[in-house]
Amino acid sequence: YISGASLEEAKSSPMLEQITKKGYEVLFFVDNLDEYMNLNEFDDFTLQSITKEGLDLNEGRAAKKYMEEKEEEFEDFTEWMKELLGSKVSKVVLSNRLEETPMVIVTTKYGATANMERITRGQTFNNGGQKSTKILELNFRHPVIISLKEKVAEDNESDSAKDLAQLMFDSALLQSGFTIEADAIGNFAGRIDRIARARLGVEADAEVEPLPEFPDDEEEDEEEDDEDDEDDEDLDDADLDEEEEE
């Protein structure tokens, strides 16, 4: 099962990718009360949240061995990601639930889900609500993750690699039902700016083009009045010249 703020949000969740591909049926819990039921079984069916760690897809020994080999292969990269993200996540692991999405954020087995965090955040006098313990899951088969891993292997201090990894993490937060914290929005916007500059070939220190200086409206009005007065004087002089000639 999966809980969400709406049916549309639940249906579009990347958590469903491998689940539906393998033919499992998924219950959508979209009422706030559903989040508090904490169901483990229903009508003799065992239920599990697909947004929490430890997702069991009844995979055999060969699949488990394959995952162990990939975990060893990606060990340096997952450690690099954990060091980069710091306290934002409790750990970084490889995912068995993704197909098309490069990464998602899941929560600990007995902790609050992203939806529960959203519900409690909106409750009055809740001091910010419950906080989820987040786990970053990587789709190790995704071409972007593979390419980023290779880039980090070449230079683990690369600023562009760090920006891309952070940007992908922010995207994963939103796709997984979380929000970007208010104190992190400035950093998010800054990363977008740096990446856009790099892709467009704009120098990192290129400054915004300055605005021209415009006169105040009062000054413009005074200048117009002066011009009108000068025009009137010219007309008066012209009239006098004509009268003298007559």
Side-chain angles (χ1 to χ4, degrees), residues 63-80:
K64 289 179 180 177
K65 184 180 179 182
Y66 170 72
M67 284 296 292
E68 289 172 0
E69 291 172 351
K70 287 297 178 182
E71 285 167 0
E72 185 176 348
E73 179 185 337
F74 277 75
E75 183 177 3
D76 290 344
F77 181 63
T78 54
E79 288 178 356
W80 180 85

Side-chain angles (χ1 to χ4, degrees), residues 163-164 167 188-204:
D163 271 345
L164 284 169
L167 184 62
F188 172 74
R191 280 193 292 275
I192 295 288
D193 180 75
R194 288 192 298 273
I195 291 170
R197 284 171 180 257
R199 295 297 296 171
L200 294 171
V202 178
E203 294 293 333

Side-chain angles (χ1 to χ4, degrees), residues 20-39:
T20 53
K21 184 178 180 181
K22 290 180 178 292
Y24 287 99
E25 293 183 351
V26 180
L27 297 175
F28 298 117
F29 293 156
V30 294
D31 272 352
N32 287 354
L33 276 177
D34 294 337
E35 191 65 59
Y36 293 92
M37 290 194 299
N38 218 2
L39 287 175

